[in-house]
């Protein structure tokens, strides 16, 4: 465990999340990635057959290159106080954010680590199997409603990070989650892929045309929240990368 912690430790002691000085390699364009929008549109032109509990997966962002080292990309995603999370939360239109503590299952070697600041916890070792809840409010039909999402780390080692954000309440008869995968491909660069995973959970799926319309709305919401345009997580990540290399 100590070896693993040392391998993935980010040099973040005394970090105040100020932009770093640029390096020559960081002049590489952050827009060098493959847009998934045409692929997603093509997939949704033909309505699939919707089956209760059967997952439908679509790329939201694929092979997006980020001109930051993997350890920093990892920390930006997992630390709720990072510029990435703070900017994304402030721009995505929700409010009253509350972040639960990261917890580990009894089988984790880190289960007894208590009282660490979040940045120190994330930086001091693998977050494998860690989970937390993020709650927030949203205006819907002029009423403030309480929502939450579960965050879970499926993989965290030198080869990459797999991080899942799942809505805790169904929307339009579907459950939805985003799977975020980050991997290093050079000492100063990493690649990110975000996939939406949507499952029908409504019991009445007889009207497949109506179910498809609801699915398209949910898919659009996931693309808006995590995609490469506007206030999507991918778009905000690119913006944050530019601030670090400015």
């Amino acid at each position: 465990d100590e070896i693993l912690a040392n391998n993935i430790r980010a040099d973040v002691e005394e970090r105040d999340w100020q932009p770093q000085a640029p390096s020559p390699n960081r002049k590489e364009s952050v827009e060098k990635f493959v847009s998934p929008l045409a692929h997603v549109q093509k997939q949704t032109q033909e309505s699939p057959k919707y089956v209760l509990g059967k997952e439908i997966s679509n790329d939201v962002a694929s092979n997006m290159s980020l001109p930051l080292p993997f350890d920093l990309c990892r920390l930006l995603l997992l630390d709720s106080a990072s510029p990435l999370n703070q900017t994304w939360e402030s721009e995505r239109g929700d409010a009253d954010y509350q972040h639960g503590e990261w917890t580990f299952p009894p089988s984790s070697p880190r289960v007894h680590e208590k009282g660490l600041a979040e940045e120190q916890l994330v930086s001091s070792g693998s977050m494998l199997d860690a989970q937390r809840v993020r709650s927030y409010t949203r205006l819907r039909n002029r009423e403030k409603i309480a929502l939450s999402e579960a965050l879970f780390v499926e993989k965290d080692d030198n080869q990459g990070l797999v991080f899942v954000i799942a809505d805790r309440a169904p929307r339009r008869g579907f459950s939805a989650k985003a799977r975020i995968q980050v991997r290093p491909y050079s000492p100063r660069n990493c690649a990110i892929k975000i996939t939406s995973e949507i499952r029908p959970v409504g019991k009445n799926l007889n009207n497949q045309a109506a179910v498809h319309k609801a699915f398209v709305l949910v898919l659009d919401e996931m693309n808006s929240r995590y995609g490469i345009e506007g206030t999507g997580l991918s778009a905000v990540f690119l913006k944050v990368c530019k601030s670090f290399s400015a």
Side-chain angles (χ1 to χ4, degrees), residues 59-128:
D59 284 350
V60 176
S62 181
N63 298 324
M64 189 170 77
S65 175
L66 300 173
L68 297 176
F70 170 69
D71 282 345
L72 180 55
C73 289
R74 171 185 176 275
L75 187 60
L76 286 167
L77 278 167
L78 296 179
D79 183 1
S80 63
S82 74
L84 173 62
N85 281 306
Q86 293 288 298
T87 304
W88 185 45
E89 291 177 1
S90 68
E91 293 185 356
R92 70 184 234 185
D94 301 318
D96 304 322
Y97 286 95
Q98 299 289 330
H99 300 88
E101 292 185 359
W102 284 110
T103 61
F104 295 90
S107 58
S108 171
R110 305 194 67 188
V111 67
H112 298 299
E113 295 186 27
K114 306 290 184 181
L116 295 178
E118 182 179 354
E119 182 180 306
Q120 184 180 1
L121 179 70
V122 173
S123 302
S124 60
S126 173
M127 294 291 287
L128 177 64

Side-chain angles (χ1 to χ4, degrees), residues 6-174:
N6 289 335
N7 284 338
I8 70 170
R9 186 185 307 275
D11 184 15
V12 296
E13 292 185 4
E14 305 301 329
R15 178 181 292 279
D16 59 359
W17 287 120
Q18 296 300 312
Q20 297 176 338
S23 64
N25 290 337
R26 290 193 182 180
K27 296 301 181 182
E28 178 181 341
S29 172
V30 296
E31 275 84 12
K32 290 183 179 180
F33 60 88
V34 179
S35 171
L37 295 182
H39 175 66
V40 171
Q41 291 171 353
K42 182 178 179 181
Q43 281 188 309
T44 57
Q45 284 176 353
E46 297 183 4
S47 173
K49 180 174 176 59
Y50 297 95
V51 178
L52 182 66
K54 183 178 180 181
E55 181 181 288
I56 303 167
S57 177
N58 283 285
D59 284 350
V60 176
S62 181
N63 298 324
M64 189 170 77
S65 175
L66 300 173
L68 297 176
F70 170 69
D71 282 345
L72 180 55
C73 289
R74 171 185 176 275
L75 187 60
L76 286 167
L77 278 167
L78 296 179
D79 183 1
S80 63
S82 74
L84 173 62
N85 281 306
Q86 293 288 298
T87 304
W88 185 45
E89 291 177 1
S90 68
E91 293 185 356
R92 70 184 234 185
D94 301 318
D96 304 322
Y97 286 95
Q98 299 289 330
H99 300 88
E101 292 185 359
W102 284 110
T103 61
F104 295 90
S107 58
S108 171
R110 305 194 67 188
V111 67
H112 298 299
E113 295 186 27
K114 306 290 184 181
L116 295 178
E118 182 179 354
E119 182 180 306
Q120 184 180 1
L121 179 70
V122 173
S123 302
S124 60
S126 173
M127 294 291 287
L128 177 64
D129 294 335
Q131 54 189 310
R132 78 183 321 171
V133 172
R134 173 168 52 200
S135 61
Y136 53 93
T137 60
R138 176 178 298 170
L139 286 178
R140 183 176 294 171
N141 298 325
R142 298 183 179 180
E143 293 186 5
K144 183 182 288 189
I145 60 172
L147 297 171
S148 62
E149 49 199 25
L151 288 65
F152 183 78
V153 180
E154 291 190 345
K155 175 183 177 179
D156 186 17
D157 56 31
N158 293 325
Q159 302 302 312
L161 171 73
V162 179
F163 177 50
V164 175
I165 305 177
D167 290 343
R168 300 184 76 196
R171 60 172 85 175
R172 307 181 192 276
F174 291 87

